[in-house]
Amino acid sequence: MIKRGKPKKVLILGSGALQIGQAGEFDYSGSQAIKALREDGIISILVNPNIATIQTSENFADKVYFLPIKAEFVEKIIQKEEPDSILLQFGGQTALNVGVELYESGTLAKYGVKVLGTPVEAIEATEDRLLFGNKVSEIGLKVALSKTASNVEEALKVAQEIGFPVMVRIAYALGGLGSGIVNNKEELLEKAQRAFSFTKQILIEESLYGWKEVEYEIVRDKFNNCITICSMENIDPMGIHTGDSVVIAPVQTLSAHENFKLRSVGIKLIRHLGIIGECNIQYALDPKSDDYRIIEVNARLSRSSALASKATGYPLAFIAAKLALGYALNEVENIITRETSAMFEPALDYVALKFPRWDLQKFRQVSTQLGSEMKSVGEVMSLGRSFEEVLQKAIRMLDIGMNGFVGNDLLFTDLDDELARPTDKRIYAIAKALQVGYTVEKIHELSKITPWFIYKMKNIVDTELKLKELKLSKISNVLMEEAKQNGFSDLQIAHLTSSKELEVRKYRKSLNVIPVVKQIDTLAAEYPAQTNYLYLTYHGREDDIKFGDKNQIIVLGSGAYRIGSSVEFDWCCVNAVLTCNKLDYKTIMINCNPETVSTDYDICDKLYFEQLTFERVLDIYDKENPEGVIISMGGQIPNNLALKLHDAGIKVLGTSPSQIDNAEDRHKFSQILDRLEIDQPGWEELTSLNEAKEFAKKVGYPVLIRPSYVLSGAAMSIVLSDIELEEYLDKAASISKEHPVVISKFITEAREIEVDAVADNGKLYCYAISEHVENAGVHSGDATIVLPPQRTYLETMRRVKMVTKAIAKELQITGPFNIQFIAKDNEVKVIECNLRASRSFPFVSKVLKINFIDIATKLIMGEKLPRIDKSSFDVDYVGVKAPQFSFTRLKGSDPVLGVEMASTGEVACLGDDFNEAFLKSFISTGFRIPKKAVMLSTGTLKEKAEFLEESKKLFNLGLKIYATKGTAEFLNQNGIAAEILSWPLELDEPNVITYLNEGKIDLVINIPKNAEKDELDNDYLIRRKAVDMNVNLITNIQVAKRFVKSLTRYKVDQLEIKSWDEYN
Amino acid sequence: MNKEKKIARLILEDGSEFSGFTFGYEKNTTGEVVFNTGMVGYPETMTDPSYRGQILIFTYPLIGNYGIPDYERENNLLKYFESEQIHCRGIIVSDYSSEYSHWNAKRSLSDWMIEQKIPGIFGIDTRMLTRKLRDKGTMLGKIIIDEKVNIGFEDVNKLDLVGEVSVKEPVEYKRGSKKIVLVDCGTKNNIIQAYLKRDITVLRVPYNYDFSKEKANGILISNGPGDPKICKSTIENTKKVMNKNIPILGVCLGSQIMALAAGANTYKLKYGHRGHNQPCNEMGTKRCYITSQNHGYAVDSESLPEDWREWFINDNDGTNEGIIHISKPFFAAQFHPEASPGPDDTEFIFDMFLRALK
């Protein structure tokens, strides 16, 4: 094996918070890399502030630093830990960029740290567009015609040379940030201006709009063995970012000649570049000939490689790590077959389809159009043996209320436009178009989607038509089989035949139309495989595996990552599985998200890569007959299934589903609180505007509105007056008997407190109380959270604990739960209670070093545990969890915090005090310390006064202060020199917008006033411009104050470089 | 599928039966049932003469997606196919795609099969079938579409399959001054194209032609169907040219024929290697290549004479994948350097042979 130069201590860079373009896939790849190192006895040091990841758990890396992935921090860690090598390929673009920076500055050479795997020169050749183009041309391969530009004038010249439309791209950008097709001079100027705020160089390319987009995953070892693991075809042609495209593996509409030609081209290029490990290559393929262009190479693990890993069963990240260590491909075992080596190209006997999940409705003012900038926040993958089957399965997996490709009631005002200029709803527009009689040809003309895919979609619509004419009992065995093979769910069939889901199930089973379990074995059954990686299909007659294992437990996963539910629930699921394994249960994981660690088949005994739907869970339960199902780890999806599964006779482990219903049902829960004499903000469910007004009058504005039916925009809103109430219930949501609206009193200037806890048969076992930095009104998922609380009164804490105990007892909780409180003047009110693990479980577990999920799982499984020493909850350091936003990518969205969650990820750091932990966390989310000037517009007079002290501190830090008129006058009156900048809509100079454009400002503090319309627009323009220009933005007064306090207390180089285990 | 689906049955010699639906030409057929794990390339695979007499299962479930290209010719050979006709006797797939789309397609797979009188069956659990063949070994089978006609199982390995697919008379493809004799045991077009591309004149001769008397710079013994031991005259002629020290390259069946001529033995594999992802280690190096393969027999490496070496072995199961003489310019690959369909990683073997040509 490796005889010389094997590393002893390796530093791994993670990817930080989840954001659009860089999500959970890097927890998967980093975890795999750490496992690969561990197997070789190599010490691993991990830097990653994403505390909710598996890779930052105990028993993974030897040491974990919850610190920013920034060159200055990483250098200090190198200084301290003295690693001999570093891995850059496993932490996405973030890790790669920092690695290249450290290499170029000579830091790595200075400390004698060797870059493992792909050399930095090769990385640079893939990242610098010009260099890349040259490399490709050198060996006679083809890239899109392109030229670089380093300023706006140059960009225009080049674009005119190539001819509009052209594609604008930015070097070193994750997820295609700032890229896009521009059709004319005006669009180019706007795009280029924005781009040069991020980068020194942009690229203008020939537009390949409408070409097929295909990708290959390639691995190469240092002995020059080079193979392709997976081919993938984007159903959406060129023009839509691959992260926003529906993607199928393997390629479907390429001939063997085309497929193997692209394979050869890829291998030739990868050898020429000198990549060692894993990479991804993207091509555009002419739909009218076999002409091609190489689009790009990602010299690192990527979202596509995570998908390819899960699609094929080939553990790309693990093997890439081994290759980086110096192994040859045929020296590494194929861990899925255990019979063959890693040196082979998987043969699939199924198809895998990836579908992106967007959450655009969470954002105000955002454009829903898809283009070359990624907007999706998560994805699902479905497995099956026909296109129709995987498409319908995937759409259900998204959990966005769609029943499949058909059977959704969506309205399109302009179908042609929707097909030609896609939004997140295009797939449903295709269904609609087919239903109303568009030809495949016409849909192809408009959408440029290869006709084969549309023919397949038409098969689904045709089957729908056949079903529509029938009563359930009239469906023949052949038609039922066709429907199920075409991916129809029982529920879809029920809707079409005016029957009930369970009736369809019963009737279907009587026809003996039952899905079969198939294995993913990487070799199309050519060799016997010991694989436990499974899926269900209706294209089969035989199960691949035998059932009847005893002591099996099913854990339901969390599904697609979305706003409000991401890697933290995967952490909970994985930990629940690991604990069950330790307790000698055989674990079965069901999940459908390719970006997760829970879908690594070495985590559990059996992995079903399947839909988290009632129907599918029943199917698996029927076959496996387990001891029970754990539904409290995967967030809201499994939680919502609890009662239904229970009613269908399935054993749900932990807290009883009827108690879950008691907590979820607003009316029932409210009565319970009243009975327990626990306070809650006044609320009522109302069905008319007058009632709503009356209620508001009674409790007094502001009130919080939660409609049950949303017309547009965000679901929840705070309104301040009758006028706003009317406006909201008119435009944004409907109010009627069918669509009641819940209105509650919104308590201002109150603090939010959260309890994450575990109980055993109604007895509180352990709990953690944390507080929000922001006042109530900011969604808990967007809040900055501190543990232990720094400003909450002892009396409040005691009251919170009492309430928690009482609720645990009343609901007879066994397992994890979370309660949110609002606290004001020593009074606490309960605002929400979830009888499941919450987003903050990994955070509190890791800060307190008590694994709440391990405990919860043991209690659920009926184990008796010794009591934890009380002092364990009392720590001498502070953890701060901070949200990560992706507003930059969501063009037009208003980057302001509100009652709807908008963050896509989070980080958490530890510090010796609040300020230190806070500052580390904020730097981890991408905040830079302001060096030049701050722009202030600090809301109402009251808020201006509240922020006065901090304004002074900013001034004393030597920062230039700019402010809008009102704020500037207030500051000047109070002895702080502030220069007035005009509001955006005033259009005079000096204007905020101009100053932001010119890069004169490096921090914007904009506290929105909830008043006059004009000012709101002005505020929006400032915030949006700041985000577009990549200037730090704070919109919450408490956060702004804390940030300034921390800044005055700590300089960046004073922040302690301490690993997780050094805090105790 | 809007057309009414017509039921067809697949029956194996062990008595097991699978029900599906018919496509392509509607007639009953019998043959040796084998599986191929390639995910693309059905036009090339079905016209590969090595599949003569076989009923082919595609383990990849979606077949027919990109249709069938037109009969364009290049060097008087069909450009997009590996021979003049479909050689397998029938195909078995899971999900046949009656609609296709590709710029180069002229007809659907089903229409092409109708034209060539080849039946197909879809709606079969091909994974179940493959697992069965893997566990029990290759079996004879039949596809029954017309229930009124009764047919038996035919053991095609007893037939002169090579004789059926080989050219009847020598054909010369004129190029440069160097010339190779291609012994056609069922050659794929792309082997010929590979040498024409390299400006080598190719004299394609029947498998039983006495090529030992032919003046040439080298001999290439092609791939082909069935058991190599049936090709007695080819083996004899190969022995003769081995004495003359002329460079010889064997491909697939050609490799087995060379081994037999050298005095080694061959045997039947349980279920063969058929696919595009077979990893082959080059002995004595850390190099491993992904190869395209299609063979049911293999060289017994234990039986290789003293002056022969194993050149490649299969990384999955350790079987022989190529042999090389220690001093003479004789070498052979069990896999297909000409790919088509498949990866072209080992095309360098053709260049090695080129350099060896005297």
Side-chain angles (χ1 to χ4, degrees):
Chain A
M1 295 277 158
I2 302 171
K3 292 185 184 75
R4 270 174 306 170
K6 186 158 133 179
K8 292 186 177 64
K9 194 175 192 182
V10 176
L11 183 68
I12 303 174
L13 304 184
S15 65
L18 269 59
Q19 46 187 307
I20 292 180
Q22 187 165 285
E25 63 269 18
F26 299 109
D27 190 20
Y28 148 77
S29 48
S31 304
Q32 291 279 319
I34 292 166
K35 280 185 203 170
L37 294 181
R38 173 150 287 202
E39 200 184 73
D40 272 54
I42 296 166
I43 298 169
S44 52
I45 313 291
L46 173 68
V47 189
N48 192 355
N50 192 337
I51 204 162
T53 52
I54 291 293
Q55 57 180 262
T56 57
S57 300
E58 302 153 76
N59 306 322
F60 271 80
D62 290 285
K63 260 193 186 179
V64 176
Y65 283 88
F66 294 118
L67 283 174
I69 303 161
K70 303 240 162 178
E72 50 196 308
F73 286 89
V74 176
E75 178 173 357
K76 284 185 188 164
I77 295 168
I78 290 174
Q79 228 169 33
K80 183 173 162 189
E81 293 286 348
E82 301 179 336
D84 53 51
S85 314
I86 188 165
L87 279 174
L88 309 176
Q89 297 182 11
F90 299 89
Q93 197 66 42
T94 303
L96 210 62
N97 288 353
V98 170
V100 169
E101 191 182 335
L102 288 167
Y103 174 84
E104 281 184 340
S105 65
T107 311
L108 296 181
K110 180 174 156 197
Y111 296 100
V113 181
K114 190 177 142 204
V115 175
L116 296 178
T118 302
V120 175
E121 292 84 353
I123 296 173
E124 286 172 329
T126 61
E127 294 284 333
D128 182 308
R129 304 293 310 183
L130 189 65
L131 219 55
F132 180 70
N134 292 342
K135 281 274 179 190
V136 174
S137 311
E138 264 167 38
I139 48 170
L141 303 177
K142 292 165 104 169
V143 274
L145 184 61
S146 72
K147 283 188 172 158
T148 52
S150 27
N151 57 54
V152 178
E153 294 74 42
E154 216 179 327
L156 182 62
K157 203 174 132 247
V158 170
Q160 280 162 343
E161 266 171 45
I162 293 173
F164 288 105
V166 294
M167 176 77 187
V168 178
R169 282 179 185 275
I170 296 175
Y172 285 94
L174 58 97
L177 184 66
S179 306
I181 290 174
V182 294
N183 293 302
N184 51 45
K185 187 178 161 185
E186 289 67 41
E187 283 178 27
L188 179 95
L189 291 179
E190 192 203 323
K191 174 79 70 182
Q193 231 149 32
R194 187 145 90 89
F196 284 116
S197 67
F198 288 92
T199 182
K200 293 190 184 85
Q201 189 194 65
I202 64 170
L203 199 81
I204 315 278
E205 280 180 5
E206 68 176 303
S207 165
L208 297 168
Y209 176 72
W211 285 38
K212 292 185 188 185
E213 189 170 357
V214 289
E215 298 176 62
Y216 288 74
E217 292 300 318
I218 302 186
V219 294
R220 177 176 175 269
D221 66 20
K222 71 171 194 186
F223 305 99
N224 209 12
N225 292 311
C226 192
I227 55 178
T228 59
I229 300 309
C230 186
S231 64
M232 292 171 273
E233 179 174 0
N234 290 10
I235 291 167
D236 301 289
M238 288 290 294
I240 298 183
H241 190 278
T242 173
D244 277 351
S245 291
V246 181
V247 177
I248 189 160
V251 293
Q252 298 299 323
T253 68
L254 273 62
S255 68
H257 167 74
E258 289 164 334
N259 182 48
F260 287 107
K261 176 171 145 182
L262 295 184
R263 178 187 178 277
S264 300
V265 165
I267 288 180
K268 193 170 172 191
L269 178 60
I270 283 357
R271 285 187 164 141
H272 182 61
L273 290 168
I275 296 212
I276 296 173
E278 205 275 349
C279 70
N280 158 278
I281 179 164
Q282 289 175 24
Y283 302 95
L285 185 66
D286 185 354
K288 295 192 182 70
S289 75
D290 65 352
D291 198 11
Y292 74 92
R293 301 283 186 277
I294 296 170
I295 304 301
E296 64 173 15
V297 167
N298 278 307
R300 55 171 173 85
L301 274 293
S302 61
R303 176 180 47 262
S304 294
S305 57
L307 177 68
S309 271
K310 306 287 179 177
T312 60
Y314 189 99
L316 276 167
F318 182 84
I319 285 163
K322 291 289 189 192
L323 301 186
L325 292 178
Y327 283 94
L329 268 163
N330 48 1
E331 290 173 338
V332 183
E333 187 188 36
N334 175 351
I335 58 173
I336 201 153
T337 60
R338 303 259 175 221
E339 293 216 355
T340 52
S341 82
M343 178 69 206
F344 76 101
E345 299 189 348
L348 279 58
D349 58 4
Y350 54 90
V351 288
L353 185 110
K354 177 211 88 173
F355 210 108
R357 157 128 188 174
W358 295 276
D359 264 340
L360 296 173
Q361 75 286 356
K362 296 257 178 194
F363 300 93
R364 276 186 260 174
Q365 324 229 17
V366 72
S367 152
T368 56
Q369 207 135 86
L370 304 181
S372 51
E373 284 180 77
M374 183 169 161
K375 287 180 172 172
S376 65
V377 288
E379 64 193 33
V380 295
M381 179 181 86
S382 69
L383 301 169
R385 280 169 60 87
S386 71
F387 179 79
E388 297 87 336
E389 187 174 48
V390 291
L391 179 65
Q392 295 230 67
K393 275 173 86 168
I395 291 172
R396 283 193 290 276
M397 286 172 171
L398 293 173
D399 190 42
I400 50 172
M402 298 297 166
N403 294 310
F405 178 65
V406 293
N408 314 305
D409 33 79
L410 285 176
L411 295 175
F412 294 96
T413 44
D414 186 346
L415 260 185
D416 286 23
D417 187 59
E418 181 64 38
L419 292 172
R421 302 194 311 138
T423 70
D424 54 332
K425 301 282 190 301
R426 174 155 83 178
I427 196 85
Y428 315 107
I430 298 174
K432 182 59 103 193
L434 286 166
Q435 282 162 341
V436 301
Y438 279 47
T439 61
V440 169
E441 197 44 44
K442 178 163 184 193
I443 297 172
H444 163 69
E445 278 306 312
L446 289 165
S447 67
K448 303 290 175 222
I449 294 174
T450 301
W452 184 82
F453 295 110
I454 309 170
Y455 283 125
K456 290 282 170 184
M457 294 175 196
K458 185 166 179 298
N459 286 344
I460 301 174
V461 172
D462 289 346
T463 303
E464 183 194 33
L465 227 100
K466 288 187 210 171
L467 292 167
K468 237 180 196 161
E469 297 160 0
L470 296 173
K471 271 196 182 143
L472 179 61
S473 58
K474 291 280 183 273
I475 295 178
S476 69
N477 180 291
V478 170
L479 180 57
M480 181 60 89
E481 191 157 60
E482 174 186 315
K484 296 307 279 187
Q485 288 182 341
N486 280 345
F488 281 81
S489 67
D490 288 348
L491 191 66
Q492 265 174 313
I493 297 172
H495 287 328
L496 288 167
T497 56
S498 309
S499 48
K500 294 259 175 337
E501 183 178 16
L502 278 170
E503 286 166 16
V504 176
R505 182 178 184 83
K506 204 174 147 204
Y507 175 68
R508 172 171 63 72
K509 282 165 94 172
S510 77
L511 295 175
N512 204 26
V513 178
I514 291 164
V516 294
V517 176
K518 296 284 183 195
Q519 292 169 307
I520 303 284
D521 62 8
T522 70
L523 290 162
E526 189 180 359
Y527 290 90
Q530 305 308 316
T531 163
N532 58 0
Y533 183 7
L534 310 165
Y535 68 99
L536 272 72
T537 176
Y538 279 91
H539 292 272
R541 296 271 174 273
E542 174 192 71
D543 291 311
D544 275 2
I545 57 164
K546 300 225 177 331
F547 306 101
D549 284 346
K550 296 267 169 278
N551 263 335
Q552 297 195 111
I553 301 294
I554 292 182
V555 178
L556 298 186
S558 57
Y561 287 165
R562 69 209 51 195
I563 290 182
S565 168
S566 57
V567 68
E568 57 280 356
F569 290 109
D570 200 52
W571 182 87
C572 294
C573 291
V574 170
N575 275 278
V577 166
L578 294 178
T579 300
C580 286
N581 289 343
K582 269 187 281 175
L583 296 174
D584 276 339
Y585 289 99
K586 290 211 180 298
T587 46
I588 297 173
M589 181 74 216
I590 307 178
N591 201 1
C592 56
N593 179 346
E595 305 180 301
T596 55
V597 177
S598 63
T599 54
D600 273 356
Y601 41 80
D602 58 349
I603 294 285
C604 54
D605 291 297
K606 282 180 192 163
L607 166 66
Y608 281 91
F609 210 103
E610 269 301 338
Q611 306 164 77
L612 289 158
T613 56
F614 176 61
E615 176 181 347
R616 202 29 49 104
V617 175
L618 281 188
D619 291 336
I620 296 168
Y621 197 90
D622 281 354
K623 295 209 182 249
E624 294 285 1
N625 196 21
E627 299 293 310
V629 182
I630 295 181
I631 51 93
S632 49
M633 302 301 174
Q636 205 55 32
I637 297 184
N639 194 62
N640 290 348
L641 286 175
L643 196 59
K644 255 183 122 179
L645 291 174
H646 176 76
D647 289 345
I650 282 186
K651 188 165 182 208
V652 173
L653 301 171
T655 311
S656 155
S658 52
Q659 297 291 7
I660 295 175
D661 186 50
N662 280 338
E664 292 279 314
D665 185 306
R666 187 166 292 281
H667 297 274
K668 291 181 187 167
F669 187 60
S670 183
Q671 281 168 13
I672 289 170
L673 292 182
D674 287 347
R675 196 163 65 236
L676 297 174
E677 297 181 345
I678 296 169
D679 252 3
Q680 53 187 314
W683 69 277
E684 240 167 280
E685 190 174 272
L686 305 164
T687 54
S688 76
L689 183 61
N690 275 344
E691 284 174 13
K693 278 188 186 164
E694 236 163 79
F695 175 79
K697 202 172 178 184
K698 192 176 82 190
V699 298
Y701 283 103
V703 293
L704 179 68
I705 317 183
R706 297 167 211 249
S708 60
Y709 188 76
V710 181
L711 298 172
S712 71
M716 276 196 291
S717 195
I718 295 169
V719 297
L720 303 175
S721 63
D722 275 1
I723 298 165
E724 278 188 36
L725 184 72
E726 264 172 50
E727 243 180 45
Y728 180 78
L729 290 177
D730 186 36
K731 280 196 199 122
S734 63
I735 182 163
S736 66
K737 285 240 159 24
E738 293 76 45
H739 303 299
V741 169
V742 170
I743 303 188
S744 52
K745 165 78 185 155
F746 179 73
I747 299 163
T748 49
E749 288 173 48
R751 185 164 302 157
E752 270 193 56
I753 292 172
E754 292 204 39
V755 171
D756 291 303
V758 181
D760 181 17
N761 284 308
K763 257 184 92 177
L764 187 62
Y765 184 86
C766 62
Y767 67 97
I769 300 175
S770 18
E771 73 182 6
H772 293 194
V773 170
E774 298 83 352
N775 279 350
V778 171
H779 190 285
S780 71
D782 285 350
T784 310
I785 292 178
V786 193
L787 175 71
Q790 301 296 302
R791 304 169 305 150
T792 304
Y793 302 119
L794 206 59
E795 178 56 29
T796 307
M797 302 270 279
R798 197 177 296 134
R799 178 71 192 146
V800 162
K801 188 182 165 189
M802 299 307 293
V803 170
T804 304
K805 269 188 170 168
I807 290 177
K809 187 171 174 217
E810 176 65 25
L811 297 175
Q812 280 299 295
I813 298 174
T814 297
F817 67 108
N818 159 278
I819 305 176
Q820 285 165 38
F821 295 90
I822 205 158
K824 193 175 180 179
D825 311 328
N826 260 338
E827 275 181 16
V828 301
K829 297 183 199 300
V830 170
I831 44 179
E832 208 178 308
C833 172
N834 294 302
L835 303 195
R836 54 164 173 81
S838 78
R839 205 175 296 116
S840 37
F841 266 63
F843 170 64
V844 301
S845 293
K846 286 181 185 177
V847 172
L848 298 177
K849 300 186 181 186
I850 297 169
N851 189 329
F852 277 42
I853 295 298
D854 179 57
I855 290 167
T857 308
K858 283 176 177 156
L859 296 174
I860 287 172
M861 298 317 299
E863 299 285 307
K864 290 284 159 256
L865 295 181
R867 296 221 69 81
I868 303 175
D869 184 1
K870 259 197 177 154
S871 65
S872 306
F873 299 104
D874 179 22
V875 292
D876 294 335
Y877 50 89
V878 180
V880 171
K881 176 162 100 71
Q884 171 79 49
F885 298 95
S886 299
F887 292 126
T888 351
R889 302 185 158 273
L890 298 164
K891 239 181 280 169
S893 63
D894 187 355
V896 70
L897 303 189
V899 283
E900 277 283 349
M901 181 166 166
S903 62
T904 54
E906 61 189 35
V907 296
C909 296
L910 303 177
D912 290 328
D913 65 29
F914 184 15
N915 291 317
E916 197 202 357
F918 182 93
L919 203 55
K920 282 177 177 173
S921 286
F922 264 67
I923 295 172
S924 295
T925 63
F927 259 73
R928 291 171 305 271
I929 305 301
K931 296 201 168 78
K932 291 178 278 190
V934 183
M935 166 72 212
L936 299 176
S937 59
T938 45
T940 59
L941 186 62
K942 186 163 160 286
E943 283 161 332
K944 285 182 176 51
E946 195 182 339
F947 196 67
L948 182 60
E949 195 189 329
E950 281 74 23
S951 304
K952 206 171 283 170
K953 281 179 180 160
L954 283 172
F955 182 77
N956 290 339
L957 282 168
L959 293 164
K960 170 100 186 142
I961 309 281
Y962 295 112
T964 47
K965 192 152 175 283
T967 306
E969 281 167 0
F970 177 83
L971 291 174
N972 289 335
Q973 281 159 17
N974 286 282
I976 303 166
E979 191 174 316
I980 301 176
L981 296 183
S982 299
W983 288 99
L985 292 175
E986 287 172 2
L987 301 173
D988 355 316
E989 298 296 335
N991 196 292
V992 190
I993 299 295
T994 317
Y995 274 52
L996 282 167
N997 268 336
E998 289 170 356
K1000 288 182 177 161
I1001 296 166
D1002 49 11
L1003 171 66
V1004 172
I1005 297 175
N1006 175 283
I1007 312 298
K1009 266 185 251 179
N1010 288 318
E1012 304 137 73
K1013 193 88 190 102
D1014 255 3
E1015 205 146 45
L1016 256 179
D1017 281 352
N1018 268 318
D1019 278 332
Y1020 163 73
L1021 290 170
I1022 294 177
R1023 293 192 290 267
R1024 192 60 229 171
K1025 180 53 89 175
V1027 164
D1028 285 339
M1029 300 307 291
N1030 204 19
V1031 174
N1032 294 327
L1033 169 72
I1034 298 175
T1035 63
N1036 178 283
I1037 183 104
Q1038 290 86 26
V1039 171
K1041 283 165 69 181
R1042 181 53 55 188
F1043 184 63
V1044 175
K1045 263 198 194 95
S1046 302
L1047 269 189
T1048 33
R1049 212 61 68 77
Y1050 283 95
K1051 290 207 169 58
V1052 173
D1053 57 13
Q1054 292 169 327
L1055 298 171
E1056 289 277 353
I1057 304 296
K1058 275 160 80 171
S1059 65
W1060 186 20
D1061 59 338
E1062 286 173 84
Y1063 289 98
N1064 44 46
Chain B
M1 300 294 293
N2 286 322
K3 280 178 292 178
E4 206 48 42
K5 288 190 278 193
K6 187 171 168 190
I7 287 179
R9 289 186 300 146
L10 168 74
I11 304 168
L12 298 181
E13 59 177 317
D14 70 349
S16 53
E17 212 183 293
F18 299 79
S19 176
F21 304 98
T22 164
F23 73 109
Y25 191 69
E26 295 188 359
K27 73 163 185 196
N28 297 350
T29 191
T30 173
E32 185 183 39
V33 183
V34 297
F35 62 86
N36 179 303
T37 63
M39 296 183 283
V40 281
Y42 51 87
E44 294 91 337
T45 302
M46 290 167 72
T47 52
D48 176 350
S50 300
Y51 283 105
R52 189 78 183 178
Q54 294 175 326
I55 297 176
L56 185 57
I57 306 166
F58 288 105
T59 63
Y60 185 67
L62 279 63
I63 298 293
N65 304 5
Y66 52 87
I68 296 292
D70 206 1
Y71 301 127
E72 256 175 72
R73 284 184 183 269
E74 188 176 19
N75 303 318
N76 204 28
L77 296 165
L78 285 176
K79 193 174 169 186
Y80 301 111
F81 303 93
E82 284 308 315
S83 69
E84 293 293 310
Q85 62 175 107
I86 301 179
H87 283 287
C88 59
R89 288 184 171 184
I91 62 169
I92 302 167
V93 306
S94 176
D95 186 24
Y96 169 66
S97 190
S98 54
E99 307 287 353
Y100 62 91
S101 56
H102 195 271
W103 60 270
N104 199 27
K106 275 289 173 310
R107 50 183 70 75
S108 74
L109 171 59
S110 185
D111 288 346
W112 183 53
M113 288 163 69
I114 290 170
E115 188 189 299
Q116 304 242 344
K117 299 199 167 29
I118 301 295
I121 178 169
F122 76 93
I124 298 288
D125 186 343
T126 46
R127 181 170 169 89
M128 175 182 179
L129 195 55
T130 302
R131 275 159 47 98
K132 190 178 197 81
L133 297 178
R134 181 190 74 203
D135 293 341
K136 297 193 174 164
T138 302
M139 273 188 255
L140 299 180
K142 51 189 182 185
I143 295 176
I144 304 296
I145 293 166
D146 186 348
E147 295 286 349
K148 281 173 267 172
V149 181
N150 197 14
I151 58 162
F153 295 106
E154 184 180 16
D155 186 356
V156 294
N157 287 313
K158 298 214 172 86
L159 301 178
D160 179 18
L161 296 170
V162 171
E164 288 179 27
V165 296
S166 179
V167 281
K168 303 298 175 251
E169 296 293 331
V171 183
E172 192 172 57
Y173 303 85
K174 203 93 188 101
R175 276 293 188 279
S177 57
K178 284 194 177 172
K179 179 167 111 180
I180 60 166
V181 172
L182 170 65
V183 184
D184 179 7
C185 301
T187 189
K188 284 163 70 185
N189 285 346
N190 210 35
I191 295 185
I192 304 170
Q193 303 284 24
Y195 281 96
L196 297 181
K197 202 171 73 190
R198 288 168 171 80
D199 201 30
I200 302 292
T201 294
V202 176
L203 177 67
R204 178 182 185 180
V205 302
Y207 78 109
N208 53 3
Y209 181 89
D210 185 0
F211 50 84
S212 62
K213 298 202 176 78
E214 205 57 57
K215 241 180 87 92
N217 303 90
I219 310 283
L220 197 165
I221 305 168
S222 84
N223 65 298
D227 186 343
K229 287 177 184 165
I230 286 179
C231 306
K232 294 210 168 66
S233 56
T234 323
I235 298 168
E236 282 316 305
N237 289 328
T238 306
K239 277 183 188 164
K240 281 189 240 168
V241 289
M242 278 181 171
N243 289 329
K244 286 168 66 177
N245 224 359
I246 179 170
I248 312 173
L249 170 65
V251 171
C252 194
L253 183 77
S255 170
Q256 295 160 9
I257 288 172
M258 280 172 69
L260 290 167
N265 199 10
T266 58
Y267 64 101
K268 189 166 194 204
L269 294 166
K270 191 175 175 191
Y271 51 89
H273 296 156
R274 291 174 192 87
H276 309 152
N277 68 340
Q278 297 285 340
C280 293
N281 290 320
E282 184 174 2
M283 301 300 280
T285 71
K286 287 202 176 194
R287 292 304 295 269
C288 185
Y289 305 95
I290 300 295
T291 66
S292 179
Q293 297 197 10
N294 168 22
H295 61 109
Y297 292 82
V299 173
D300 177 5
S301 53
E302 298 289 319
S303 69
L304 279 177
E306 188 62 14
D307 44 1
W308 284 82
R309 293 283 180 273
E310 274 202 290
W311 186 16
F312 296 100
I313 62 161
N314 192 298
D315 190 51
N316 287 340
D317 63 9
T319 56
N320 180 267
E321 294 286 4
I323 54 174
I324 190 165
H325 194 279
I326 53 169
S327 57
K328 293 177 181 171
F330 308 155
F331 44 97
Q334 183 60 65
F335 45 82
H336 291 264
E338 79 282 5
S340 191
D344 58 6
D345 297 13
T346 51
E347 211 185 334
F348 69 87
I349 289 177
F350 286 162
D351 293 314
M352 282 177 65
F353 187 55
L354 197 70
R355 282 199 301 277
L357 296 181
K358 286 177 185 161

